[in-house]
Amino acid sequence: MNKNRYMPLLMALSVIVGILIGTFYANHFSGNRLNIINNGGNRLNNLLHIIDDQYVDTVNIDSLVDRAIPQILADLDPHSVYMNAKDAQMAADDLKGSFSGVGIEFVIRDDTLRVQGVIKNGPSERAGILAGDKIVSIDDEPFTGKKVTNEEAMRRLKGQKDTKVKIGILRYGEKKVKSFTVTRGEIPMHSVMAAYMLDDETGYIRIKSFGENTYPEVLVALAQLSQDGFEQLVIDLRDNTGGYLQSAVQIINEFLPKNKLIVYTEGRKSPRQEYTSDGKGSYQQIPLVVLINEGSASASEIFAGAIQDNDRGTIIGRRSFGKGLVQQQIGFPDGSLIRLTIARYYTPSGRCIQKPYTPGDDLDYQGDLVQRYEHGEFFSQDSIKHQGPAYKTRIGRVVYGGGGITPDIFVPEDTLAMTSYYKQAAMSGLILQFAFKYTDDNRQKLNTFEAMNELEAYLLKQNLVDKFATYADKNGLQRRNLMIQKSHKLLERYVNSRIIYNIMNEEDWLKYLNQDDRVIDKALEVMRKGEAFPKKETPKK
């Protein structure tokens, strides 16, 4: 650990102590001793009173507190955090299942807010706003340039239900700004991104988070798949960063027989609390595969751990993130809050999936995924370092704690077509920019396609990789023909997927990407071989 990084803190504390001592003696000899220092008590509160009362310049105490509290919590663990009122409200909206707004999906290009998609039957669609429109003013105030940020756009467009907002639109091919008055309404936030059949027997559900409405959404998805005749199921939790524990528990309950432990929590001041299945689930016998990767965290790890430890299904993919800490939300009168870690999650076998951390060293904690990548863990199962003890599942299979859920079947990341050119194209945002520009320039034609496979067939004939390379070369990414040839399939897949996303919806986008997804292919192979359940315990003779 780098001890030098503590020097600024030690120097700051020394300065504060010096100020307090100097103030004490100054007031002592002037006959105005500061009793709050002599009497001890809450030193932080006292310090703030001193600063507010005697500091040479006017100080915004609220702003000072907003900066100080996160530093204190950061010295506890990586997931104890402070959120100001605005951030707390945004976080609540993400999991609540809905928020009040105008109903558009936007991107920022060239300091301009551009409508990427319009929610069907939402306020903006009813008002006449279209995908591809540029928002140039809000409530008669210009909204272009450096002030255009995601946060500022959401602040201006969100608002109480039934309130109105006036939006100035510059439409493609037109020079005159059009004005639309949009009445804000409730906008649903769906956590089930897709539910469709991978083949004649296999249903597929992609869950991106566990919010208030995730359980009923999953039930609707399962009912839909039942009508399609599914006999086995793939649940995709890749890049699902978690959410509400209760939502995950409710969904897991659908797949487990009665009295099976799902998860338990325990902490210094939090007695052990167990969550068990009630036996009322409708899908207790269906073959099940769960997909995870390094972006799967918290509630999604609880889901995978419960299925794995109960030998209920097969986990496929790469090792999950490793977040096994439980936070309690404590609100303040001004709308801000802290999320304080009060316990740990434990899977049914007793393993804690929280990866190791050093209090106060957030950079090392967040950099763990980079270290895994550099160590080769994304490409070889043998590179996985288990930092916790071994545990056993219900039938005696060995599983490990101390750093995420290790899948039953490892699928490495495909690097055969990876080049430095592709990495630069993806990381720079140039692919996203090109895809949006192409969509905008060809929206009229692209909108004529109703089915994803029809749009895909059209795009494959448009030589888009070459067009992208020309665009990228004009925007700072030198054309490298040999690398482009090697990464042609990856580039084509990325560009086409973003255009499909711009024109259609999340489900069509996922259908396109899943067509040649190695993890999906492995899941289907496991299903075909009848290996969705791990091997049962061999009876002892």
Side-chain angles (χ1 to χ4, degrees):
M1 184 181 296
N2 185 6
K3 297 181 180 179
N4 290 331
R5 70 183 184 85
Y6 286 107
M7 289 304 298
L9 179 60
L10 293 172
M11 291 176 66
L13 290 174
S14 299
V15 171
I16 291 171
V17 170
I19 290 172
L20 293 178
I21 293 172
T23 304
F24 170 80
Y25 280 104
N27 285 294
H28 174 75
F29 291 111
S30 66
N32 182 25
R33 182 177 302 187
L34 289 177
N35 291 326
I36 54 175
I37 295 177
N38 287 339
N39 294 335
N42 188 327
R43 286 178 292 169
L44 281 176
N45 194 38
N46 292 343
L47 175 60
L48 292 174
H49 278 300
I50 293 169
I51 293 172
D52 192 35
D53 184 54
Q54 299 190 32
Y55 188 65
V56 63
D57 296 318
T58 302
V59 176
N60 186 327
I61 295 297
D62 287 340
S63 177
L64 196 62
V65 169
D66 279 347
R67 295 196 303 271
I69 293 179
Q71 294 300 317
I72 295 172
L73 294 175
D75 277 341
L76 300 177
D77 67 81
H79 299 293
S80 288
V81 296
Y82 169 76
M83 306 176 77
N84 61 37
K86 182 177 69 174
D87 291 341
Q89 184 58 54
M90 289 176 61
D93 287 343
D94 287 342
L95 294 174
K96 189 172 64 174
S98 68
F99 65 92
S100 180
V102 298
I104 63 168
E105 182 180 354
F106 63 81
V107 294
I108 297 173
R109 293 285 179 266
D110 301 323
D111 294 330
T112 303
L113 203 65
R114 300 170 185 244
V115 180
Q116 181 162 291
V118 182
I119 292 177
K120 191 173 182 180
N121 299 321
S124 289
E125 185 183 70
R126 291 194 293 269
I129 293 176
L130 303 174
D133 286 346
K134 297 178 182 178
I135 296 178
V136 295
S137 68
I138 300 176
D139 285 332
D140 293 323
E141 291 185 12
F143 192 58
T144 57
K146 298 301 180 184
K147 62 184 168 185
V148 179
T149 64
N150 284 321
E151 294 76 15
E152 186 63 18
M154 287 189 284
R155 187 186 71 81
R156 296 193 186 202
L157 294 175
K158 283 185 176 183
Q160 291 186 351
K161 184 179 179 182
D162 296 328
T163 58
K164 297 182 184 299
V165 58
K166 189 176 180 181
I167 300 176
I169 293 292
L170 188 60
R171 187 155 288 170
Y172 185 79
E174 300 180 9
K175 295 182 178 180
K176 188 176 180 181
V177 175
K178 292 185 175 183
S179 183
F180 296 84
T181 299
V182 181
T183 302
R184 296 182 179 97
E186 284 296 311
I187 309 301
M189 298 276 286
H190 296 296
S191 48
V192 172
M193 297 172 67
Y196 69 96
M197 298 292 289
L198 292 172
D199 58 25
D200 291 341
E201 297 179 334
T202 312
Y204 170 88
I205 298 176
R206 176 72 173 259
I207 306 172
K208 65 180 175 183
S209 62
F210 291 97
E212 284 185 8
N213 295 330
T214 306
Y215 178 53
E217 283 184 43
V218 169
L219 291 182
V220 169
L222 288 167
Q224 171 192 320
L225 293 174
S226 292
Q227 291 182 340
D228 294 334
F230 88 113
E231 297 178 5
Q232 50 201 24
L233 182 64
V234 175
I235 294 182
D236 194 341
L237 299 180
R238 289 176 293 178
D239 298 314
N240 180 324
T241 56
Y244 292 138
L245 168 65
Q246 191 58 38
S247 292
V249 168
Q250 287 175 314
I251 299 169
I252 295 166
N253 186 67
E254 290 295 316
F255 301 100
L256 290 179
K258 191 173 183 179
N259 292 331
K260 296 298 180 183
L261 183 60
I262 295 173
V263 65
Y264 68 91
T265 65
E266 192 169 20
R268 182 174 66 91
K269 294 282 186 171
S270 301
R272 175 167 170 149
Q273 182 176 359
E274 296 187 352
Y275 298 82
T276 57
S277 55
D278 60 15
K280 297 179 181 178
S282 301
Y283 305 93
Q284 297 179 36
Q285 298 301 318
I286 193 166
L288 179 65
V289 165
V290 177
L291 310 183
I292 61 172
N293 66 3
E294 57 281 347
S296 307
S298 191
S300 57
E301 294 178 288
I302 290 168
F303 192 109
I307 297 300
Q308 188 176 56
D309 285 6
N310 283 294
D311 298 292
R312 173 59 185 85
T314 300
I315 313 301
I316 299 178
R318 296 191 294 272
R319 182 161 65 109
S320 62
F321 181 84
K323 180 186 181 298
L325 300 177
V326 184
Q327 283 75 49
Q328 181 181 38
Q329 192 160 290
I330 303 169
F332 297 125
D334 66 349
S336 63
L337 57 84
I338 63 170
R339 288 178 176 169
L340 184 68
T341 297
I342 61 167
R344 289 181 172 83
Y345 292 119
Y346 295 87
T347 69
S349 65
R351 53 183 169 148
C352 178
I353 53 178
Q354 175 64 41
K355 63 184 179 182
Y357 61 88
T358 302
D361 196 352
D362 189 60
L363 286 177
D364 181 65
Y365 182 77
Q366 298 299 339
D368 171 64
L369 295 185
V370 175
Q371 293 172 22
R372 291 195 206 178
Y373 183 88
E374 292 174 346
H375 181 66
E377 184 179 316
F378 289 11
F379 318 110
S380 170
Q381 186 170 9
D382 293 337
S383 297
I384 297 176
K385 290 184 177 180
H386 293 110
Q387 296 172 302
Y391 297 83
K392 290 188 176 180
T393 69
R394 180 179 57 84
I395 65 171
R397 296 184 306 123
V398 175
V399 290
Y400 293 92
I405 299 295
T406 299
D408 301 311
I409 298 175
F410 175 82
V411 179
E413 190 173 273
D414 186 4
T415 59
L416 292 177
M418 189 71 68
T419 61
S420 60
Y421 179 88
Y422 176 80
K423 290 179 182 178
Q424 285 181 275
M427 296 296 290
S428 66
L430 284 171
I431 293 179
L432 294 176
Q433 294 170 26
F434 170 78
F436 190 85
K437 185 178 187 305
Y438 181 86
T439 302
D440 239 15
D441 293 344
N442 299 274
R443 197 175 292 276
Q444 187 173 356
K445 173 65 176 178
L446 298 175
N447 279 333
T448 63
F449 297 100
E450 295 184 359
M452 184 274 291
N453 55 353
E454 294 174 357
L455 177 55
E456 177 191 4
Y458 172 79
L459 294 175
L460 288 173
K461 299 175 183 177
Q462 303 311 305
N463 198 22
L464 290 180
V465 173
D466 184 68
K467 290 177 181 178
F468 165 74
T470 300
Y471 171 86
D473 191 56
K474 292 179 180 178
N475 287 273
L477 180 58
Q478 183 181 355
R479 190 180 189 114
R480 306 290 295 275
N481 288 330
L482 289 178
M483 288 189 183
I484 291 170
Q485 184 178 355
K486 182 176 181 181
S487 295
H488 190 280
K489 186 175 181 181
L490 284 178
L491 289 165
E492 183 178 71
R493 184 174 187 262
Y494 197 167
V495 171
N496 289 355
S497 73
R498 294 314 303 181
I499 295 171
I500 289 170
Y501 183 88
N502 292 340
I503 290 296
M504 296 190 161
N505 54 45
E506 275 187 328
E507 182 163 292
D508 285 316
W509 172 65
L510 278 171
K511 283 182 179 178
Y512 172 77
L513 291 175
N514 285 346
Q515 289 177 133
D516 59 353
D517 187 311
R518 298 174 69 189
V519 182
I520 297 287
D521 291 343
K522 177 58 70 172
L524 290 172
E525 178 188 327
V526 166
M527 292 293 194
R528 284 193 298 270
K529 292 180 177 178
E531 298 174 350
F533 290 103
K535 293 180 181 179
K536 294 183 179 180
E537 187 175 20
T538 303
K540 294 180 181 180
K541 295 182 180 180

